Amino acid sequence: MIKHLRAYFLLFILCCFASHILAQEQEEWGSDLDSLRRAEEAQQDSIIYNASYIRYTTLDRLKQGTFTVPLDTTLKGFQYYNPQTKPKNPTMNLGNYGLATRDLLFSPTTDIGFRTGFTAMDRYLLTLDSIRFYRARSPFSELYFVTGDQVFSAKIGQNIKPNWSIGANFNASLARGFYQNQRYNDIQPAIYTWYESPNLRYNLQSALIFNTLVATENGSILNDSIFRVQPENSNPESFEVRLSQQREQRPRNTWTDHSFFLRQSMFIGRLDTLNKGTQEQQVLPTMAVAHSLRLNRKKYKFFKNEADPNGALPFSESVLTNDSTMLTTITNDFVYSFSLRGKSVSFIKNEVKLDLGLQHDLMFYKQGRDSLSIQDTAVSNRYNDMSFQNVTLKAGLGYRFSDRVNITTDFRQIVAGRNFGDFHYGAEANLLYNNTVGRLVLAGYFQNQSPEYLAESVNYTYHKWDNSDQLNKIKTTNLSAMYENPRFHFFAKAEYFLMNNYTYYKEVDNPDHRSELLRVIEVTQHESPINLLKLTLGKDFTFFDKWHFDSYIVYQKSDYNDVLMTPEFYTWHSFYYNTILVKVINLNIGFDVRFNTPYVAPAYAINIGQFYRPYYGGVDVNNETITPIEFSSYPIVDPWVTATLKRTNFFLRYDNATQGLFARGYYTVRRYPMAPAGLRFGVSWKFYD
């Protein structure tokens, strides 16, 4: 026993001695290892990724050179998620997120060439212009969600090499609506990439975008007096609608818009670089050539599989309807740019820039429906299934005297093809005196434009016409002047429009109120020229550094406001308080107020997706003259709160809070009540690593 204890004791002494020797041998390099580890940890902790590591560019910016801009992480306008309710671009719509929408304020398109005529859901499309090509020094992602309308968005962007980035978007929404058959849903995935050569001379951008939009159509509710006479059951879901089939048989408009895009550009000659070696670096070529290829397919389909005893559509015995239009476009765009400027680029002055371009569009158009008679088939084959092309010459000339004077021109002319003779000639002069006095922008354009093809010819179940030899080109002249003073947050703009052959949809004349002519529409061109003066005023006030009052006012005066179906006066105001809570939360709390004067209310043709002017004429059953129905809004108040906590933005808003105070509700489109009061919550998370 004693021998065993002695052996254990000797072993213990040896272990202690050995550990002491090893400790002496490892003390020097062990302390060095700890120092290295602490330095490495300190180095890792010192890198805090934030929004400054993420920058992006767009296709429009890349036309001028290569430069990027930082992410916008402010709260300004964060709560305006709905494209229908943008304060400075309001709409009239069918009363739910995603449904058909028309501009409330007059804003004509400047596109020339072939146009299908389907625009009612354009605001919800994911387009090439909205794609951001990232330059991300660290991986970037963003998640976005809004309750109520259930709007979801996810974005990612990452540089796989210092000069090569990839990104992806995924948008989806599911707005169930308030009344029966108001459901809207969409899915919009997109992937894109941007490559720049190490010598900064070659750029490639490519994108693949898919849009699928489905808008259920109920033909409006049956009760037209819900805001005048209190109904027994005020639940919106209890009101009968004109079209009531559910699930897969529900009446609906389905839009698909799929695109592939590839752009390559090469810079030739001298490269001028601003802010070289920094994130704000700008590469300005003296010569550049670029080619863009775009493959696009659009399809518009209306489906209905039920009888129509309540008059949602024109009189017909049709039950099953499958009307569709499809357009496939292959676009090749060639551009040559030349810039003449001095060698000093501390700021650009005395620069002359010339852009020359040639665009070729090859298009395949198909229009059809589920059942065709022999006569209809002949019409369909002749007018509604065709292929054609357009060749457009483009030119732009610009002169920049200094960073205060910039003059640009834009010329587009279709020289061959189906829409031969279309053109757009525009010019703009940007004059900055100084930051205190402000900036003056003078602009104008003259445009010759073919009517949209839907106005020329359609062979659908409920509407048929052939106006291809009867419609003239639409001529528009525009002059504008804008004064802007960023220091005082003020701007004022005056615009004048002169339009000849203004084209619009209207209900056919029906003085005897024959049932078979109700809701039957036709295309017409206004015989007299239309003049319109549009005045816009905006001012942001700040009181005591924390109180803010933003105002936006528009006045529109025309000799034919009833034809344009637009209000004479629109105003929007936002009053809010900004503060910092517990030193970390940026908080805004306030409310918006908007209002517009009465205007002739348009009706909506659900099977062709067009807003039209109803027929007002003759006398009613009481032998009284029928006058146009006009809608105005009472002062609509939307309280809201926005906040930022680190990388997360929040908003909470209550729409139409004044419902029941001035009126039970309001309309913007005939027979379609606007959404009742409702609460919305939105959140956005940004990740930089």
Side-chain angles (χ1 to χ4, degrees):
M1 182 67 182
I2 296 176
K3 291 182 179 179
H4 290 294
L5 291 174
R6 188 181 299 164
Y8 289 143
F9 179 74
L10 291 174
L11 182 60
F12 175 75
I13 294 296
L14 290 173
C15 290
C16 292
F17 182 73
S19 64
H20 177 69
I21 293 176
L22 289 174
Q24 287 182 335
E25 292 177 352
Q26 295 178 355
E27 181 178 3
E28 183 174 352
W29 64 268
S31 60
D32 292 341
L33 180 62
D34 293 338
S35 299
L36 290 173
R37 184 178 294 111
R38 285 193 297 270
E40 182 181 2
E41 292 175 351
Q43 183 180 9
Q44 291 177 351
D45 293 341
S46 65
I47 301 178
I48 301 176
Y49 296 103
N50 53 42
S52 64
Y53 285 77
I54 314 299
R55 298 177 69 88
Y56 71 92
T57 190
T58 59
L59 289 176
D60 188 59
R61 290 186 173 94
L62 288 169
K63 294 177 183 178
Q64 310 301 322
T66 304
F67 67 100
T68 58
V69 294
L71 290 176
D72 182 8
T73 59
T74 64
L75 283 171
K76 188 75 172 180
F78 178 64
Q79 69 274 26
Y80 306 120
Y81 74 96
N82 189 342
Q84 296 172 328
T85 56
K86 298 296 183 182
K88 298 181 181 180
N89 191 9
T91 68
M92 53 187 79
N93 57 78
L94 303 191
N96 186 42
Y97 178 95
L99 299 186
T101 299
R102 181 180 187 265
D103 290 344
L104 181 68
L105 304 176
F106 183 74
S107 181
T109 178
T110 57
D111 295 334
I112 61 173
F114 186 82
R115 297 173 295 137
T116 62
F118 293 92
T119 60
M121 292 195 288
D122 276 357
R123 289 196 178 212
Y124 314 105
L125 292 173
L126 180 62
T127 63
L128 280 169
D129 294 334
S130 60
I131 294 296
R132 294 181 173 184
F133 297 93
Y134 291 101
R135 179 169 287 168
R137 296 168 59 194
S138 64
F140 166 70
S141 58
E142 181 181 6
L143 296 176
Y144 178 84
F145 180 72
V146 179
T147 63
D149 296 323
Q150 299 187 57
V151 179
F152 173 79
S153 174
K155 300 177 184 178
I156 59 172
Q158 182 174 357
N159 271 59
I160 55 179
K161 289 185 176 181
N163 58 333
W164 186 12
S165 68
I166 58 172
N169 288 9
F170 180 80
N171 300 339
S173 62
L174 176 58
R176 300 186 182 278
F178 304 92
Y179 302 90
Q180 296 180 45
N181 276 1
Q182 273 196 324
R183 168 175 167 158
Y184 168 84
N185 61 277
D186 63 38
I187 296 179
Q188 299 169 322
I191 56 175
Y192 41 90
T193 185
W194 174 26
Y195 172 80
E196 183 180 30
S197 63
N199 63 2
L200 308 180
R201 291 187 176 273
Y202 174 75
N203 274 272
L204 180 147
Q205 298 85 34
S206 184
L208 196 59
I209 303 175
F210 301 92
N211 287 280
T212 301
L213 286 61
V214 183
T216 307
E217 303 286 357
N218 62 15
S220 78
I221 62 174
L222 283 172
N223 187 352
D224 292 340
S225 59
I226 61 171
F227 298 144
R228 296 194 305 270
V229 180
Q230 179 67 37
E232 295 182 2
N233 188 347
S234 59
N235 183 4
E237 293 185 356
S238 66
F239 298 132
E240 291 186 65
V241 295
R242 300 177 190 275
L243 298 175
S244 57
Q245 280 281 25
Q246 299 292 313
R247 300 184 181 277
E248 295 304 317
Q249 298 300 315
R250 70 189 190 278
R252 59 189 180 271
N253 274 300
T254 303
W255 284 26
T256 57
D257 189 332
H258 306 327
S259 294
F260 169 76
F261 177 79
L262 175 66
R263 180 181 185 269
Q264 301 179 81
S265 62
M266 177 67 72
F267 298 159
I268 304 171
R270 189 181 86 239
L271 297 181
D272 295 326
T273 305
L274 299 176
N275 304 316
K276 188 173 183 179
T278 67
Q279 292 189 85
E280 293 79 20
Q281 176 176 287
Q282 298 185 36
V283 179
L284 304 175
T286 52
M287 284 192 295
V289 291
H291 169 255
S292 299
L293 170 66
R294 183 179 181 184
L295 310 177
N296 176 257
R297 171 167 288 186
K298 300 176 181 179
K299 186 173 183 180
Y300 314 96
K301 181 179 179 180
F302 173 72
F303 171 82
K304 178 186 73 71
N305 192 16
E306 63 179 294
D308 181 27
N310 298 313
L313 295 156
F315 177 79
S316 174
E317 297 180 357
S318 173
V319 174
L320 176 64
T321 303
N322 266 314
D323 295 338
S324 64
T325 294
M326 184 170 66
L327 176 66
T328 302
T329 307
I330 303 174
T331 301
N332 283 278
D333 191 2
F334 302 88
V335 177
Y336 168 78
S337 299
F338 173 77
S339 299
L340 182 63
R341 67 176 75 93
K343 293 184 178 181
S344 175
V345 292
S346 57
F347 66 91
I348 303 299
K349 63 178 181 179
N350 289 332
E351 178 192 43
V352 178
K353 189 173 188 295
L354 175 66
D355 297 320
L356 299 174
L358 173 67
Q359 179 176 317
H360 178 263
D361 296 300
L362 178 62
M363 286 165 274
F364 304 89
Y365 182 86
K366 291 184 179 181
Q367 184 187 99
R369 55 192 180 92
D370 55 331
S371 61
L372 295 171
S373 66
I374 296 177
Q375 294 178 347
D376 289 338
T377 302
V379 174
S380 179
N381 290 336
R382 181 179 176 185
Y383 296 105
N384 300 71
D385 191 350
M386 57 186 178
S387 61
F388 51 90
Q389 60 183 343
N390 280 328
V391 178
T392 307
L393 293 181
K394 300 186 293 184
L397 181 63
Y399 175 67
R400 190 186 310 189
F401 179 74
S402 67
D403 58 344
R404 296 185 177 184
V405 179
N406 188 18
I407 301 173
T408 58
T409 59
D410 174 29
F411 304 101
R412 288 173 280 149
Q413 172 91 48
I414 296 181
V415 296
R418 186 184 186 280
N419 301 107
F420 171 77
D422 281 20
F423 62 79
H424 175 93
Y425 304 149
E428 179 181 288
N430 195 319
L431 312 172
L432 172 66
Y433 186 78
N434 57 43
N435 293 330
T436 301
V437 176
R439 180 190 309 272
L440 179 65
V441 180
L442 304 175
Y445 67 80
F446 179 50
Q447 180 174 276
N448 199 39
Q449 181 187 61
S450 296
E452 56 196 31
Y453 187 73
L454 188 66
E456 294 185 15
S457 178
V458 67
N459 186 30
Y460 274 6
T461 303
Y462 294 96
H463 294 100
K464 306 177 187 68
W465 57 70
D466 178 19
N467 300 318
S468 55
D469 298 328
Q470 303 174 22
L471 299 181
N472 299 314
K473 291 186 182 292
I474 306 166
K475 295 178 173 58
T476 305
T477 303
N478 168 260
L479 297 173
S480 67
M482 182 183 73
Y483 170 73
E484 182 182 18
N485 193 313
R487 179 177 179 181
F488 296 101
H489 306 284
F490 171 82
F491 85 95
K493 186 175 184 180
E495 298 175 87
Y496 170 73
F497 296 91
L498 173 62
M499 293 160 288
N500 290 278
N501 303 322
Y502 177 76
T503 307
Y504 64 102
Y505 298 87
K506 73 179 186 69
E507 192 174 15
V508 298
D509 292 345
N510 187 15
D512 299 327
H513 306 292
R514 295 161 53 189
S515 59
E516 66 270 20
L517 294 181
L518 296 176
R519 296 170 297 280
V520 175
I521 66 175
E522 62 181 0
V523 180
T524 186
Q525 288 191 317
H526 202 267
E527 296 180 355
S528 303
I530 296 180
N531 297 273
L532 183 137
L533 178 64
K534 183 177 180 181
L535 304 176
T536 306
L537 185 67
K539 178 71 173 79
D540 298 345
F541 299 90
T542 301
F543 308 97
F544 310 110
D545 295 329
K546 292 182 178 294
W547 295 93
H548 301 267
F549 181 66
D550 301 345
S551 294
Y552 185 78
I553 301 171
V554 179
Y555 175 76
Q556 303 178 128
K557 185 62 177 177
S558 173
D559 39 5
Y560 294 102
N561 267 46
D562 58 333
V563 173
L564 300 175
M565 294 181 290
T566 186
E568 187 171 326
F569 181 78
Y570 167 80
T571 181
W572 169 86
H573 306 279
S574 183
F575 184 75
Y576 59 98
Y577 175 76
N578 172 256
T579 188
I580 304 296
L581 294 181
V582 295
K583 298 183 180 181
V584 293
I585 300 177
N586 184 7
L587 177 72
N588 292 312
I589 181 170
F591 61 89
D592 298 340
V593 182
R594 67 182 187 274
F595 171 79
N596 62 263
T597 53
Y599 61 93
V600 173
Y604 179 66
I606 63 177
N607 65 313
I608 58 173
Q610 299 298 320
F611 294 89
Y612 65 92
R613 189 181 190 276
Y615 172 73
Y616 298 107
V619 295
D620 58 17
V621 293
N622 298 320
N623 205 32
E624 295 181 358
T625 303
I626 297 177
T627 58
I629 297 176
E630 295 186 340
F631 290 150
S632 66
S633 65
Y634 52 79
I636 300 169
V637 178
D638 304 323
W640 52 266
V641 177
T642 61
T644 294
L645 178 61
K646 295 184 177 180
R647 302 177 179 181
T648 307
N649 290 348
F650 309 87
F651 79 77
L652 183 69
R653 57 178 294 154
Y654 189 72
D655 295 336
N656 198 5
T658 47
Q659 183 182 20
L661 180 61
F662 302 101
R664 293 191 179 98
Y666 70 105
Y667 295 85
T668 60
V669 177
R670 191 178 179 185
R671 296 193 179 95
Y672 286 88
M674 294 298 289
L679 187 67
R680 301 287 185 273
F681 172 75
V683 60
S684 169
W685 298 273
K686 290 183 174 65
F687 306 93
Y688 306 111
D689 49 23

